[in-house]
């Protein structure tokens, strides 16, 4: 399945702009998608992906269980050096 055609949700670009640029918050993507699908999405949405300090996918070795288990989120927090609590 070609993921490059996936559209961003309404308001996503503005939200990322607010958090990453205006508020200067650390930003990550923690997704249940596999890394290959994320790379395809990135091709279309580089304007948003460029603001992400890290991307954690479900096929990363540290992710033992997918969502709703916290593995993906904990790995993202670790990479951002933020407390996940």
């Amino acid at each position: 399945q070609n993921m490059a055609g996936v559209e961003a949700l309404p308001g996503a670009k503005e939200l990322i702009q607010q958090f990453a640029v205006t508020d200067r918050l650390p930003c990550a993507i923690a997704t249940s998608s596999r890394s290959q699908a994320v790379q395809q999405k990135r091709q279309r949405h580089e304007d948003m992906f460029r603001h992400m300090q890290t991307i954690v996918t479900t096929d990363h070795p540290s992710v033992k269980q997918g969502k709703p288990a916290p593995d993906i989120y904990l790995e993202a927090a670790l990479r951002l050096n933020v407390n996940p609590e």
Side-chain angles (χ1 to χ4, degrees), residues 31-33 57-60 62-73:
T31 178
S32 57
S33 295
T57 59
T58 196
D59 54 352
H60 187 276
S62 67
V63 178
K64 304 300 181 203
Q65 296 182 38
K67 293 178 182 178
D71 301 28
I72 293 171
Y73 306 109

Side-chain angles (χ1 to χ4, degrees), residues 4-71:
V6 173
E7 294 293 330
L9 292 173
K13 291 180 184 179
E14 294 81 6
L15 183 65
I16 291 170
Q17 178 73 25
Q18 177 68 43
F19 285 168
V21 178
T22 305
D23 297 338
R24 296 184 181 186
L25 295 173
C27 294
I29 294 175
T31 178
S32 57
S33 295
R34 296 191 167 278
S35 55
Q36 184 178 8
V38 172
Q39 289 307 315
Q40 291 175 349
K41 293 172 189 175
R42 185 178 197 138
Q43 292 173 2
R44 182 173 181 115
H45 302 291
E46 182 59 34
D47 56 330
M48 292 187 288
F49 275 74
R50 67 186 172 95
H51 296 295
M52 300 299 129
Q53 283 81 37
T54 192
I55 299 170
V56 182
T57 59
T58 196
D59 54 352
H60 187 276
S62 67
V63 178
K64 304 300 181 203
Q65 296 182 38
K67 293 178 182 178
D71 301 28

